Amino acid sequence: MSAPNPELRRQVIAIYKELLNLGKDYPQGFSYFRPRLHKAFMGNAHLRDEDAIRNAIARAEYVKKEIEAL
């Protein structure tokens, strides 16, 4: 297996950081939010197919918009 596309890796790290930042204002608290965010991202760490990674990034963007709406 080859290494993932560096651009996709950059996007994944950026959305993770954005979600972490939004988690600071999460209604149930950062201590509730951070472990669940980490678990969700680690659950997708095995992905190597670029289309699957793009779908996961799109799902993370959707979650970001939902959190912003809170």
Side-chain angles (χ1 to χ4, degrees):
M1 282 185 206
S2 64
N5 182 334
E7 177 60 24
L8 288 177
R9 178 176 163 79
R10 186 197 63 74
Q11 289 176 6
V12 169
I13 292 170
I15 191 68
Y16 183 79
K17 287 181 179 180
E18 289 172 20
L19 286 168
L20 267 181
N21 192 33
L22 286 173
K24 293 176 183 175
D25 299 326
Y26 195 70
Q28 292 175 305
F30 188 70
S31 60
Y32 175 87
F33 183 84
R34 190 202 170 276
R36 283 160 179 76
L37 177 66
H38 182 75
K39 184 177 178 182
F41 271 75
M42 291 307 293
N44 288 319
H46 68 281
L47 296 178
R48 294 291 178 250
D49 179 47
E50 290 189 10
D51 289 333
I53 295 170
R54 284 188 186 93
N55 287 338
I57 291 170
R59 191 168 52 247
E61 289 287 349
Y62 175 78
V63 169
K64 178 183 159 192
K65 289 177 186 174
E66 290 294 316
I67 292 171
E68 288 173 340
L70 289 177

